[in-house]
Amino acid sequence: MPETTTEKLHILAFGLDSRPSEDVAAILIDGQVSAAQATSAATELIAAAAYDMATSISTGGALYYVAAGSSGLMAAADAMELGGTFGIPEHQVQILMAGGIPTSAHMPGDTEDATASLAADLATLSKNDTIIVISASGSTPYTLEAARLGKQAGATVIAMANNPNAPLFALSKHTIYLPTAPEVVSGSTRMGAGTAQKIALNALSTLMALNLGHIYDGMMVNLRADNIKLRDRAVRMVTTITGTSDEVAAGTLKSADGNVKTACLLAAGANSIEHAISLLENTRGHLRPALEQIRAETRKNKPFLQTEGKAS
């Protein structure tokens, strides 16, 4: 196999084991900072891919996160947050990790070569779905086969890799190349490559949520408020967005069964749950234009007040 960036020795690796620990710590941290900066080269690619992810969700399709090893852990971490953070239904997010998601500290390496289960795992893949395949090397057999099956099914394929000209890119619509430097510990892609992947995945899913209307002024207005902290956050969001009191916000949230967007519209003047839901349907789930419509309706219905008395 030809040497790739992810397998090369870092320029500061020579003599690493004989350096003072604090020097090594600085080198390791600088490596992480460099990896984070590498993601800035992919902003346009990430934005385009996120739009297609949102399209899949809004049309009833699903997102398939597929990866192996440390890339699989990064993928799973992003995918598993989508329900609580942005209210994405569980059935619309699938996680396929080579060998399965670990339940212990043991994560065998040979599973990344095992592709036999993928045909069954991706049997229902369709053109409405998006498959996100992640591999630091860009040549992992498990992810390559998943990308091939995704392309064959007509699904949107998003490939993420840390090597240029990765074979994975040839099978994808969106190619997110993260140009990280060689790892300080050669081949340990849980470090720089993994950090860049985590940042890129966070950006992808957050932009997807933005496109779906699940973010308003930096607030996650489609969250699933299923604990005390999140219920308090939901109240704060309604008060911040509408200017109403905590008591009114809590009441509208109760009426709206915890749905922040609907509660905001009720607090802003929607005359019923049905009215609020209808507004959101008309704006494809985007709160801002729905609020603007409510406020326009309020202004239109407000009686014109004339000043009493005669002109002098």
Side-chain angles (χ1 to χ4, degrees):
M1 184 178 69
E3 187 180 38
T4 56
T5 302
T6 51
E7 294 296 328
K8 288 180 179 178
L9 277 174
H10 193 280
I11 192 171
L12 297 178
F14 299 95
L16 188 71
D17 52 294
S18 62
R19 292 174 181 260
S21 293
E22 55 269 29
D23 287 357
V24 177
I27 291 169
L28 291 170
I29 291 168
D30 285 347
Q32 296 290 287
V33 172
S34 172
Q37 292 171 339
T39 60
S40 63
T43 52
E44 290 186 15
L45 301 169
I46 289 170
Y51 180 84
D52 278 353
M53 290 169 66
T55 299
S56 284
I57 293 297
S58 63
T59 57
L63 306 178
Y64 288 77
Y65 285 74
V66 186
S70 58
S71 295
L73 296 176
M74 297 302 102
D78 192 69
M80 294 173 76
E81 293 275 9
L82 297 184
T85 307
F86 299 125
I88 307 299
E90 183 180 348
H91 71 273
Q92 287 188 280
V93 183
Q94 304 295 321
I95 306 169
L96 297 180
M97 183 173 174
I101 298 173
T103 57
S104 71
H106 177 62
M107 189 166 67
D110 60 344
T111 55
E112 70 176 44
D113 299 329
T115 62
S117 64
L118 279 169
D121 291 337
L122 297 172
T124 59
L125 203 61
S126 75
K127 63 181 181 180
N128 290 331
D129 300 324
T130 293
I131 180 168
I132 306 143
V133 288
I134 307 128
S135 165
S137 67
S139 58
T140 304
Y142 186 81
T143 48
L144 281 172
E145 177 62 7
R148 187 190 69 78
L149 290 168
K151 185 177 182 180
Q152 179 179 287
T156 297
V157 181
I158 300 171
M160 186 180 296
N162 301 76
N163 282 321
N165 304 314
L168 204 57
F169 292 155
L171 296 166
S172 65
K173 176 181 178 181
H174 299 287
T175 58
I176 300 175
Y177 167 47
L178 305 173
T180 49
E183 303 289 356
V184 176
V185 178
S186 178
S188 183
T189 52
R190 69 184 181 86
M191 301 171 70
T195 293
Q197 290 169 5
K198 182 68 166 66
I199 292 170
L201 285 164
N202 285 167
L204 269 174
S205 55
T206 304
L207 276 169
M208 174 194 71
L210 194 71
N211 287 326
L212 290 168
H214 297 341
I215 298 173
Y216 180 99
D217 280 350
M219 289 173 274
M220 52 180 81
V221 290
N222 208 54
L223 90 170
R224 185 172 62 223
D226 54 4
N227 60 38
I228 293 172
K229 176 187 73 177
L230 294 179
R231 285 191 287 272
D232 288 344
R233 183 180 296 167
V235 169
R236 287 197 305 274
M237 285 192 284
V238 176
T239 59
T240 300
I241 293 168
T242 67
T244 192
S245 66
D246 286 355
E247 291 73 22
V248 170
T252 58
L253 280 164
K254 184 176 181 181
S255 297
D257 196 25
N259 187 293
V260 173
K261 294 182 193 179
T262 305
C264 283
L265 293 175
L266 290 172
N271 54 39
S272 67
I273 293 287
E274 292 74 23
H275 182 205
I277 291 172
S278 175
L279 285 168
L280 287 170
E281 288 175 348
N282 291 339
T283 60
R284 297 181 296 110
H286 290 257
L287 179 59
R288 190 178 301 277
L291 279 170
E292 289 171 355
Q293 189 169 336
I294 281 285
R295 288 161 181 161
E297 290 174 1
T298 301
R299 288 192 296 270
K300 182 178 179 181
N301 296 329
K302 187 175 182 180
F304 179 70
L305 300 178
Q306 290 184 324
T307 303
E308 293 184 359
K310 296 180 180 179
S312 58

